Amino acid sequence: MRRAYPWSFFIGNILSAVYTVLFAYLTYNYVFLGQMETRFADFAGTGDYISYVVLGGTVYSLAVSMLMIVSRALITELREGSLEALLLTPSSRKGYFLGTGLQGLMRVGIEFSFIILIGWFLGLNLTHINGLTAFIVLSITIGSFFAQALVLGSIMLYFRDTYITQNTLFIVMALVSGVTFPVQYLPGWLQPLSMMMPLNYGLQAFRSSVIEGSGLWASRNELTSLIVLSLIYFGIGIWAIQVTEKRVVEKIFD
């Protein structure tokens, strides 16, 4: 496990989320002295900024980890020289990605728990959490990240690039998905991008279940959008992977 999945990925994802939460905590308490404008509560649905940012940073870290784990699978095979052998096997490609994602959940679960623990020490309020709803919402959200990762993986395999492609997506996700501030604060021309990000809908539903203790019915619109978006990403991803694999095989045998 240590040879295949470096500890640097694990530690880096945790530190990235912790830095986001810690920066928000220091800014909120020592720069703005715990004061928020009235529009924040209207847009976010809560006046608890610390809980808002902690949950945003935690789920964002979850999204980054799942996207990296699944999307980098095939291009890692290509770099290691095992992609040709993999493509010649009769194994299910969906099963291959599903197995990769399930294995990654073990590491992601540790990261998630660790960040939540740190957030709790910084002021995350869990007194109203609806545990069952939060678990269901998180499961659906993880499924959406899996579907999005298929599209990202096909793009990275096509261009044979990981760094620029994945980090561009991660930056856009952090900006337009409401990780540290509501989407309504964005310029009008940027807000439609948030509708393309599963993270946006997953965060809204997850925050509602944790901060307010709301049930599934209260987040039905966000969950519906999340499921529809997941199906779209999944369909595009499976098709794109098949097309990209053919192109890669042609280059291997040229």
Side-chain angles (χ1 to χ4, degrees):
M1 288 287 286
R2 287 196 300 268
R3 286 175 62 85
Y5 304 100
W7 281 105
S8 57
F9 285 1
F10 177 80
I11 297 173
N13 289 331
I14 290 178
L15 289 180
S16 177
V18 169
Y19 288 154
T20 299
V21 172
L22 188 59
F23 177 77
Y25 174 83
L26 295 174
T27 304
Y28 176 70
N29 285 287
Y30 297 103
V31 177
F32 298 106
L33 302 178
Q35 301 296 317
M36 298 294 296
E37 67 165 355
T38 56
R39 288 193 306 166
F40 175 81
D42 295 334
F43 293 154
T46 178
D48 188 349
Y49 180 69
I50 296 300
S51 294
Y52 183 91
V53 174
V54 169
L55 295 177
T58 304
V59 179
Y60 174 71
S61 175
L62 175 65
V64 169
S65 295
M66 285 302 299
L67 285 168
M68 287 183 63
I69 289 167
V70 178
S71 66
R72 294 168 64 97
L74 285 184
I75 197 167
T76 300
E77 299 277 3
L78 177 65
R79 290 171 173 174
E80 295 294 332
S82 55
L83 180 61
E84 180 182 350
L86 174 66
L87 297 180
L88 291 174
T89 65
S91 61
S92 166
R93 195 68 68 244
K94 300 183 186 69
Y96 172 82
F97 284 112
L98 182 60
T100 302
L102 290 175
Q103 184 280 333
L105 278 177
M106 292 188 290
R107 288 182 295 138
V108 170
I110 299 174
E111 294 174 11
F112 184 87
S113 302
F114 194 84
I115 298 167
I116 286 290
L117 180 62
I118 294 177
W120 181 72
F121 279 111
L122 293 177
L124 172 62
N125 186 359
L126 298 175
T127 56
H128 302 293
I129 185 173
N130 186 327
L132 178 60
T133 299
F135 176 78
I136 295 174
V137 168
L138 200 60
S139 299
I140 296 173
T141 304
I142 290 173
S144 71
F145 296 152
F146 174 83
Q148 189 179 16
L150 297 180
V151 179
L152 177 61
S154 64
I155 295 174
M156 292 197 302
L157 186 61
Y158 183 87
F159 290 106
R160 302 196 178 194
D161 165 77
T162 56
Y163 185 82
I164 296 176
T165 306
Q166 71 183 23
N167 283 287
T168 299
L169 175 62
F170 296 158
I171 291 171
V172 173
M173 285 171 55
L175 176 65
V176 306
S177 299
V179 175
T180 56
F181 58 87
V183 172
Q184 290 85 345
Y185 282 116
L186 291 170
W189 60 274
L190 262 181
Q191 293 185 22
L193 278 178
S194 65
M195 301 173 64
M196 302 170 59
M197 300 295 170
L199 177 61
N200 174 43
Y201 301 108
L203 267 178
Q204 292 182 49
F206 188 65
R207 282 176 174 141
S208 178
S209 65
V210 173
I211 298 176
E212 303 171 19
S214 303
L216 290 174
W217 183 252
S219 303
R220 60 190 180 279
N221 293 332
E222 290 80 8
L223 291 176
T224 300
S225 299
L226 187 60
I227 292 171
V228 171
L229 199 58
S230 300
L231 293 174
I232 293 173
Y233 272 118
F234 185 79
I236 295 175
I238 292 298
W239 170 81
I241 286 292
Q242 293 174 346
V243 172
T244 305
E245 282 183 357
K246 291 180 180 179
R247 180 176 180 274
V248 171
V249 170
E250 290 173 356
K251 284 195 171 186
I252 290 176
F253 289 102
D254 279 348

